């Protein structure tokens, strides 16, 4: 049935097209007039020639005989033809001797006064449009006069008008036919197009672009545009959601309850947030030197839930129950720590071997060769599976929210996905992701990528790491990558790859803090240094990626260039022992110690040494006092995911004093533009930045510090976690909606 709506739609096509064609017809009219006139003049010429040749002989004879009566009769017979209006005969001198009574007077006058109209002349007289032609009359080969033929051309106008009418009718009919065909074709393709648009709006080819691509190929660009639009709206909304919230533990808790219906969060990492150690029969609890723990622990305290991690302390077992559970933080428990137990052999293969001799150097450009061993890989797989089993034990629904942390657990997302297809798995990669060529040297690159793609969301610190990851997947896996939405489709599920720059707790966890002055005087006193002595600070794990050697060389060079600071400046390096079972780390520690000794020998006096190297664990509270005391903090990593020391130093400086010197190869350098950004490989540049920091006016320090503090306040760790959880909530909603639409689609097409 043709509905009223389609008739109306069709008319919208037909009318303009018909009108256009009729107008076109009118535009053609003048052309038609000119053309028909030319045709008829040519026709009249031929007729004139025929008549003149037929009349020549009898006329010549009658003229010689001077027989006017018979000449008139001859002319009268000839003009019986309707189109021949008049005839006349002129002698050689142009005198009009004989003529029919119809011969126009004005024409006879012009013949006598001038040469007369030329052959083939059109004239318009009161009698109407006439065509005048003259032909010589010959007798015995001699011209004795001329015959004037006057044709009535009024029929031309009549014919031309008739032709115009036909042309208009033709164009009108043509217009209607073409319009109807157009409407028919448009109607048919409209139906197909509408189907395509409808399916597109159902989300096919958009939310799950690869499972069911857009129906019409010509809609593909539209799908792309729509997806890009949705992404930009999404990003805008994410940022506006983010920015209208004051991010703190309460906001995060609220988000979890409102958006994720209060799901219990399960965090999984290798490093545990609290380590129980026993020394001389006494059990102590330590907080490890770990950016991961610094960031995730406050989030867990806000969200509660369970944190699964390797129990690495020598008193961990006796501090946990038989399920490995410990309520933490120890004094005011907010969540549960579930410890996973590893044998020495397992730790050696999974943690030291594959994670830290393989993946760690693979992902950092620090010019240390990765080592990959079969045995390490086997342990890595087995331990990832052990973590996965623990997640399954701890999950109390079939769609838990699981936050997987870091490179030790790359296979875990895939393992959880296989067991709990509806789980929301948010994986965060705390270290850089290398380019495809670098990553490609890993013998198990495909397995690692597949494992990570079990995640619902895969987060990195910077867009650059995301781009590297997408390119790596593109190079080594058969998947579909949608760059506009930054998603990867594989085996029927979708992973969002997004950047979430990690941050720290704000406001600081320390409550009422000792004043900057007291921190400084306490530390100066502990080093036997006078008041007013300048302090530089480095806080790192003793790791070859941190640029500690380069930092010491910059200190040395600065003192060479500015000897006035020798005896007035000391650099304190807090270096937490890390992965000391590995040869690369032992060698590195030895090199750090040797370099510090060499530089100290060069500049030290009885009471002074420029570098104070503290290779020992410091609790966060103690590190915070150093931050508050230091005039400058040096973060010179050769390559670093984010580096939270940079943010912690700034957060510690509520006096808005102190200068941050920051490597351009850290994620933090992408955000903290007011730091003095350096290339740590460029010793001269770093040395000069160090001097600039030590001589920076208070006003400038305040300006820079204020701006960086505002950034950390607004982009704190609650916002980091909040953005991921908000994205996860949206994806959960969208997946539920897509599942429903797919169901309706299936039901509808039955
Ligand atoms: O920077 C990567 C990382 O795993 C962090 O997440 C963590 O802060 C740090 O290394 C600590 O390393 P480990 O757990 O080996 O002591």
């Amino acid at each position: 049935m043709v509905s009223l709506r389609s008739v109306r739609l069709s008319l919208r096509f037909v009318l303009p097209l018909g009108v256009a064609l009729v107008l076109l017809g009118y535009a053609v009219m003048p052309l038609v007039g000119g053309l028909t006139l030319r045709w008829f003049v040519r026709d009249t010429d031929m007729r004139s020639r025929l008549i003149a040749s037929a009349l020549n002989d009898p006329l010549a004879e009658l003229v010689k005989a001077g027989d006017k009566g018979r000449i008139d009769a001859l002319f009268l017979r000839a003009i019986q033809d309707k189109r021949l209006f008049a005839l006349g005969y002129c002698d050689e001198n142009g005198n009009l001797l004989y003529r029919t009574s119809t011969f126009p007077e004005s024409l006879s006058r012009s013949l006598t006064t001038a040469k007369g109209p030329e052959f083939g002349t059109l004239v318009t007289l009161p009698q109407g449009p006439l065509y005048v032609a003259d032909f010589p009359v010959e007798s015995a080969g001699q011209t004795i006069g001329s015959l004037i033929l006057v044709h009535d051309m009024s029929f031309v106008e009549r014919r031309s008008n008739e032709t115009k009418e036909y042309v208009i009718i033709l164009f009108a009919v043509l217009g209607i036919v073409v319009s109807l065909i157009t409407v028919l074709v448009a109607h048919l393709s409209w139906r197909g197009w509408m189907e395509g648009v409808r399916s597109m709006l159902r989300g096919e080819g958009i939310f799950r672009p690869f499972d069911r691509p857009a129906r019409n190929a010509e809609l593909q660009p539209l799908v792309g545009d729509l997806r890009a639009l949705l992404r930009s709206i999404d990003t805008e909304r994410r940022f506006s959601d983010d920015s209208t919230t004051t991010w703190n533990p309460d906001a995060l808790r609220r988000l979890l309850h409102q958006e994720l219906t209060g799901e219990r969060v399960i965090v999984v990492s290798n490093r545990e947030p609290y380590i129980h150690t026993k020394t001389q029969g006494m059990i102590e609890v330590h907080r490890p030197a770990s950016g991961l723990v610094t960031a995730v622990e406050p989030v867990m305290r806000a969200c509660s839930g369970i944190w699964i991690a390797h129990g690495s302390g020598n008193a961990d077992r006796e501090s946990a129950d038989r399920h490995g559970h410990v309520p933490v933080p120890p004094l005011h428990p907010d969540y549960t720590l579930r410890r996973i137990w590893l044998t020495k052999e397992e730790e050696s293969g999974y943690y030291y071997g594959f994670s830290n001799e393989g993946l760690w150097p693979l992902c950092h450009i620090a010019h240390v060769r990765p080592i990959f061993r079969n045995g390490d890989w086997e342990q890595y797989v087995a331990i990832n599976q052990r973590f996965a089993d623990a997640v399954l034990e701890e999950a109390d629904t079939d769609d838990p929210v699981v936050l997987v942390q870091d490179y030790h657990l790359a296979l875990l997302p895939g393992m959880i996905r296989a067991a709990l297809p509806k789980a929301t798995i948010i994986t965060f990669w705390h270290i850089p992701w290398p380019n495809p060529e670098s990553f490609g040297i890993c013998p198990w690159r495909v397995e690692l990528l597949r494992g990570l793609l079990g995640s619902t969301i895969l987060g990195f610190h910077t867009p650059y790491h995301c781009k590297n990851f997408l390119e790596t997947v593109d190079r080594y896996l058969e998947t579909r990558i949608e760059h506009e939405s930054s998603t990867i489709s594989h085996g029927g599920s979708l992973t969002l790859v997004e950047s979430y720059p990690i941050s720290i707790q704000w406001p600081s966890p320390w409550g009422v803090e000792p004043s900057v002055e007291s921190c400084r005087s306490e530390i100066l006193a502990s080093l036997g240094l006078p008041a007013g002595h300048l302090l530089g600070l480095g806080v790192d794990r003793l790791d070859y990626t941190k640029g500690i050697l380069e930092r010491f060389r910059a200190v040395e060079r600065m003192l060479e260039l500015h000897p006035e600071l020798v005896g007035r400046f000391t650099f304190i390096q807090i270096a937490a022992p890390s992965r000391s079972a590995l040869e690369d780390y032992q060698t590195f520690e030895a090199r750090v110690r040797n370099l510090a000794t060499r530089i100290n020998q060069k500049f030290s006096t009885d009471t002074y040494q420029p570098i104070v190297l503290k290779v020992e664990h410091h609790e966060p509270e103690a590190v915070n006092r150093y931050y508050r005391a230091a005039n400058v903090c040096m973060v010179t990593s050769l390559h670093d995911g984010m580096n939270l020391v940079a943010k912690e130093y700034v957060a510690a400086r509520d006096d808005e004093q102190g200068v941050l010197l920051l490597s351009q190869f850290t994620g933090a350098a992408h955000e903290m533009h007011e730091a003095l950004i350096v290339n740590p490989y460029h010793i001269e540049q770093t040395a000069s930045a160090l001097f600039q920091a030590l001589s920076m006016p208070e006003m400038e320090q305040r300006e820079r510090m204020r701006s960086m503090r505002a950034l950390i306040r607004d982009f704190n760790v609650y916002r980091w976690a909040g953005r991921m959880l908000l994205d996860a909530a949206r994806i959960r909603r969208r997946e539920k909606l897509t599942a429903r639409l797919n169901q309706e689609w299936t039901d509808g097409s039955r």
Side-chain angles (χ1 to χ4, degrees):
M1 275 292 284
V2 181
S3 68
L4 196 66
R5 204 166 141 269
S6 27
V7 170
R8 269 209 323 266
L9 271 175
S10 308
L11 281 177
R12 270 186 218 161
F13 278 109
V14 173
L15 287 180
L17 198 60
V19 169
L21 281 168
V22 170
L23 288 178
L24 185 71
Y26 272 106
V28 167
M29 285 303 112
L31 262 180
V32 172
L35 212 63
T36 46
L37 184 64
R38 271 206 299 283
W39 285 340
F40 285 119
V41 165
R42 211 176 307 148
D43 187 40
T44 308
D45 275 344
M46 276 166 52
R47 287 169 55 81
S48 303
R49 225 179 285 277
L50 273 174
I51 296 169
S53 111
L55 291 180
N56 187 78
D57 291 351
L59 183 60
E61 252 177 54
L62 292 173
V63 168
K64 271 188 192 161
D67 190 344
K68 181 175 182 312
R70 289 182 62 196
I71 290 173
D72 286 346
L74 180 69
F75 279 6
L76 215 56
R77 259 201 320 280
I79 65 166
Q80 291 306 303
D81 183 325
K82 262 199 286 179
R83 288 202 223 154
L84 192 56
F85 183 69
L87 277 174
Y89 173 78
C90 294
D91 65 11
E92 285 167 295
N93 301 321
N95 298 318
L96 185 63
L97 299 182
Y98 307 104
R99 60 172 182 159
T100 58
S101 59
T102 52
F103 203 91
E105 201 50 43
S106 54
L107 210 55
S108 48
R109 266 199 310 275
S110 68
L111 281 170
T112 48
T113 53
K115 216 179 144 216
E118 287 177 8
F119 172 78
T121 306
L122 263 172
V123 288
T124 305
L125 297 177
Q127 290 85 343
L130 301 172
Y131 183 74
V132 184
D134 69 332
F135 291 90
V137 177
E138 291 174 351
S139 173
Q142 287 209 330
T143 302
I144 58 164
S146 58
L147 177 66
I148 316 291
L149 292 96
V150 180
H151 292 273
D152 176 6
M153 297 300 275
S154 59
F155 79 96
V156 174
E157 203 176 309
R158 276 199 313 281
R159 291 281 163 82
S160 168
N161 285 344
E162 280 167 18
T163 314
K164 283 177 186 169
E165 273 167 29
Y166 288 136
V167 168
I168 287 185
I169 291 169
L170 179 76
F171 269 89
V173 170
L174 201 69
I176 291 168
V177 171
V178 170
S179 307
L180 288 175
I181 293 174
T182 311
V183 166
L184 189 69
V185 172
H187 191 74
L188 291 177
S189 46
W190 176 256
R191 281 177 59 176
W193 200 80
M194 281 307 286
E195 273 306 315
V197 171
R198 278 199 191 115
S199 76
M200 196 171 74
L201 293 177
R202 276 194 298 269
E204 289 169 25
I206 295 180
F207 302 137
R208 298 201 164 265
F210 320 117
D211 304 346
R212 194 185 287 162
R215 279 153 195 263
N216 301 24
E218 61 273 24
L219 284 179
Q220 209 53 55
L222 200 61
V223 170
D225 288 353
L226 202 56
R227 234 182 277 139
L229 184 71
L230 284 176
R231 180 157 170 75
S232 72
I233 293 173
D234 205 40
T235 312
E236 250 172 53
R237 202 182 51 177
R238 283 170 56 206
F239 273 98
S240 66
D241 284 359
D242 283 7
S243 54
T244 49
T245 309
T246 304
W247 286 101
N248 55 30
D250 283 341
L252 198 59
R253 254 190 300 272
R254 250 194 329 272
L255 184 154
L256 210 57
H257 282 90
Q258 286 166 2
E259 301 282 341
L260 290 156
T261 53
E263 308 280 357
R264 204 171 64 124
V265 167
I266 302 176
V267 166
V268 198
S269 73
N270 171 71
R271 183 59 63 206
E272 58 182 338
Y274 295 93
I275 305 176
H276 287 83
T277 48
K278 193 185 246 179
T279 29
Q280 295 162 353
M282 286 279 292
I283 293 183
E284 287 177 345
V285 186
H286 293 295
R287 301 272 307 275
S290 154
L292 182 159
V293 170
T294 305
V296 180
E297 213 273 335
V299 171
M300 263 319 260
R301 268 189 277 130
C303 298
S304 61
I306 191 142
W307 184 332
I308 303 171
H310 168 214
S312 56
N314 63 7
D316 273 354
R317 255 181 217 271
E318 59 188 283
S319 315
D321 68 13
R322 63 194 175 86
H323 303 291
H325 287 171
V326 198
V328 285
L331 295 181
H332 305 284
D334 281 319
Y335 63 96
T336 305
L337 171 62
R338 151 85 190 259
R339 285 174 170 147
I340 299 291
W341 311 115
L342 306 182
T343 63
K344 282 281 158 234
E345 194 193 354
E346 285 167 343
E347 188 180 10
S348 159
Y350 142 81
Y351 172 75
Y352 287 110
F354 194 76
S355 298
N356 288 316
E357 286 190 292
L359 290 180
W360 179 266
L362 181 76
C363 294
H364 289 89
I365 308 170
H367 312 287
V368 172
R369 288 164 75 105
I371 300 169
F372 294 108
R373 303 180 194 91
N374 256 337
D376 292 348
W377 168 250
E378 281 158 18
Q379 295 289 7
Y380 187 84
V381 177
I383 301 308
N384 269 253
Q385 188 57 59
R386 189 168 305 162
F387 275 95
D389 295 342
V391 171
L392 301 187
E393 280 166 30
E394 299 298 342
D396 46 17
T397 61
D398 65 346
D399 61 349
V401 178
V402 187
L403 308 182
V404 177
Q405 308 297 317
D406 230 350
Y407 60 98
H408 313 87
L409 301 169
L411 302 177
L412 185 60
M415 292 168 170
I416 301 173
R417 174 71 60 221
L420 298 172
K422 291 204 292 189
T424 296
I425 305 168
I426 304 174
T427 303
F428 194 79
W429 194 260
H430 288 256
I431 61 176
W433 188 276
N435 63 41
E437 287 76 22
S438 304
F439 188 78
I441 66 173
C442 175
W444 296 282
R445 61 195 184 197
V446 168
E447 289 82 347
L448 291 171
L449 292 174
R450 283 211 186 107
L452 285 170
L453 289 181
S455 317
T456 316
I457 296 176
L458 176 56
F460 293 95
H461 291 298
T462 69
Y464 184 66
H465 299 155
C466 293
K467 181 175 153 288
N468 275 352
F469 181 79
L470 291 173
E471 285 173 4
T472 308
V473 170
D474 199 20
R475 181 79 62 89
Y476 302 113
L477 279 191
E478 275 298 316
T479 59
R480 300 278 299 273
I481 298 176
E482 193 61 39
H483 289 277
E484 293 104 334
S485 54
S486 197
T487 47
I488 302 175
S489 176
H490 49 93
S493 62
L494 204 67
T495 301
L496 170 70
V497 178
E498 191 56 88
S499 67
Y500 303 93
I502 206 167
S503 195
I504 55 166
Q505 189 174 349
W506 182 286
S508 85
W510 311 120
V512 183
E513 296 186 65
S515 71
V516 165
E517 285 69 32
S518 66
C519 290
R520 186 166 295 160
S521 44
E522 178 199 318
I523 286 166
L524 288 175
S526 73
L527 297 173
L529 295 168
H533 193 87
L534 295 168
L535 287 179
L537 178 69
V539 178
D540 306 85
R541 284 182 304 103
L542 201 39
D543 193 296
Y544 53 77
T545 59
K546 300 295 179 184
I548 299 173
L549 296 171
E550 289 72 9
R551 193 179 306 171
F552 286 1
R553 288 193 194 108
V555 169
E556 177 186 25
R557 185 70 186 129
M558 196 275 295
L559 292 175
E560 281 170 2
L561 292 170
H562 301 280
E564 71 277 13
L565 287 179
V566 175
R568 287 192 52 219
F569 168 71
T570 295
F571 186 79
I572 304 169
Q573 176 65 51
I574 293 179
S578 179
R579 307 169 192 172
S580 333
L582 296 178
E583 201 186 317
D584 277 328
Y585 283 78
Q586 291 161 8
T587 316
F588 181 69
E589 181 178 338
R591 290 181 67 198
V592 168
R593 285 184 187 279
N594 289 342
L595 184 60
T597 307
R598 184 182 67 69
I599 295 170
N600 280 339
Q601 280 167 356
K602 189 165 167 182
F603 297 102
S604 63
T605 63
D606 288 348
T607 53
Y608 168 74
Q609 55 176 28
I611 294 179
V612 174
L613 178 59
K614 291 175 166 290
V615 181
E616 60 194 290
H617 178 74
H618 287 69
E619 285 299 310
E621 292 84 342
V623 174
N624 190 54
R625 283 198 291 278
Y626 278 99
Y627 286 143
R628 287 171 74 74
N631 300 86
V632 55
C633 179
M634 292 182 81
V635 174
T636 54
S637 310
L638 305 180
H639 201 191
D640 218 329
M642 173 56 71
N643 195 295
L644 291 182
V645 166
K647 294 191 175 181
E648 285 178 331
Y649 176 63
V650 169
R653 300 313 297 260
D654 52 7
D655 62 334
E656 296 177 343
Q657 291 297 293
V659 181
L660 174 65
L661 196 149
L662 182 60
S663 160
Q664 67 186 81
F665 306 120
T666 59
H670 294 263
E671 298 182 87
M672 305 174 82
H673 307 292
E674 295 78 9
L676 297 182
I677 307 288
V678 295
N679 171 358
Y681 290 94
H682 193 331
I683 304 299
E684 295 290 330
Q685 186 200 57
T686 311
S688 118
L690 177 57
F691 181 72
Q692 185 191 345
L694 291 172
S695 45
M696 188 179 285
E698 279 187 11
M699 189 64 171
E700 186 180 343
Q701 293 184 39
R702 177 159 292 113
E703 290 285 308
R704 289 174 183 265
M705 201 43 102
R706 196 173 276 170
S707 167
M708 289 190 285
R709 286 174 63 80
L711 176 104
I712 297 171
R713 181 196 61 214
D714 294 344
F715 290 87
N716 59 25
V717 77
Y718 303 110
R719 189 167 182 174
W720 169 75
R723 279 188 56 205
M724 287 193 290
L725 292 174
L726 271 173
D727 283 347
R730 271 184 215 118
I731 292 172
R732 268 166 99 103
R733 276 200 300 273
R734 191 179 292 168
E735 276 179 349
K736 280 181 187 155
L737 186 71
T738 309
R740 216 183 61 215
L741 286 168
N742 279 342
Q743 188 57 47
E744 279 171 17
W745 171 265
T746 320
D747 295 349
S749 51
R750 267 197 207 124

